[in-house]
């Protein structure tokens, strides 16, 4: 599984801890957390069974504003989002949009698209 424009990395932490670590880091660095959804809980309410999967929606309007000013359609990918899930082999994964893909998709200049690169944040929170 390698969808275009998506980066997928393995996490050494359980799903909840992976998202907890990301949320804590983001909050400490001034990001706004717009939503955190435990998809497993929501799906299980319907009588279906889903392995752990959490979704985090976050952003920084100061950084995202110029992106949307440059190309309003880019708002389709903002705020930023990350998911973490556990697979059948009990491995945990984290996925997010590739900043380069978003930049290319919406024709954004480097100076405006730079804040979309959350790769350094993800690598930091995945450190053991």
């Amino acid at each position: 599984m390698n969808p275009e424009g998506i980066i997928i990395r393995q996490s050494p932490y359980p799903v909840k801890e992976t998202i907890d670590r990301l949320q804590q880091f983001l909050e400490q660095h001034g990001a706004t957390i717009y939503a955190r959804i435990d998809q497993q809980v929501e799906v299980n309410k319907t009588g279906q069974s889903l392995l752990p999967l959490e979704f985090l929606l976050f952003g920084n309007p100061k950084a995202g504003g110029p992106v949307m000013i440059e190309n309003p359609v880019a708002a389709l990918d903002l705020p930023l989002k990350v998911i973490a899930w556990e697979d059948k082999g009990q491995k945990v994964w984290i996925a997010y949009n590739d900043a380069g893909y978003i930049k290319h998709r919406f024709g954004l200049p480097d100076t405006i698209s730079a804040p979309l690169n959350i790769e350094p944040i993800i690598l930091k929170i995945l450190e053991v």
Side-chain angles (χ1 to χ4, degrees):
M1 165 178 43
N2 192 16
E4 184 179 3
I6 305 293
I7 297 173
I8 301 172
R9 299 204 173 279
Q10 189 170 355
S11 174
Y13 305 104
V15 169
K16 181 180 181 338
E17 185 175 351
T18 298
I19 297 296
D20 285 346
R21 291 170 64 88
L22 177 59
Q23 182 172 347
Q24 180 180 25
F25 183 94
L26 292 168
E27 288 173 339
Q28 288 173 350
H29 290 85
T32 300
I33 305 299
Y34 295 106
R36 180 173 178 170
I37 303 168
D38 185 332
Q39 300 282 31
Q40 180 186 36
V41 167
E42 296 304 315
V43 170
N44 288 353
K45 286 179 186 177
T46 70
Q48 300 173 74
S49 180
L50 179 68
L51 291 170
L53 188 153
E54 288 199 32
F55 170 92
L56 191 66
L57 182 69
F58 62 94
N60 179 330
K62 187 174 182 180
V67 172
M68 292 179 282
I69 290 167
E70 180 73 21
N71 186 341
V73 179
L76 287 169
D77 283 331
L78 297 175
L80 298 172
K81 53 198 85 43
V82 172
I83 62 167
W85 75 96
E86 181 181 308
D87 68 15
K88 292 177 184 174
Q90 297 183 323
K91 290 182 182 175
V92 174
W93 303 92
I94 188 167
Y96 47 97
N97 287 321
D98 179 356
Y101 182 82
I102 296 171
K103 175 188 167 201
H104 176 74
R105 181 177 181 186
F106 298 109
L108 303 170
D110 289 339
T111 54
I112 291 175
S113 63
L116 301 175
N117 182 12
I118 63 169
E119 178 81 357
I121 296 168
I122 299 299
L123 294 176
K124 181 86 174 152
I125 66 114
L126 294 180
E127 289 178 355
V128 179

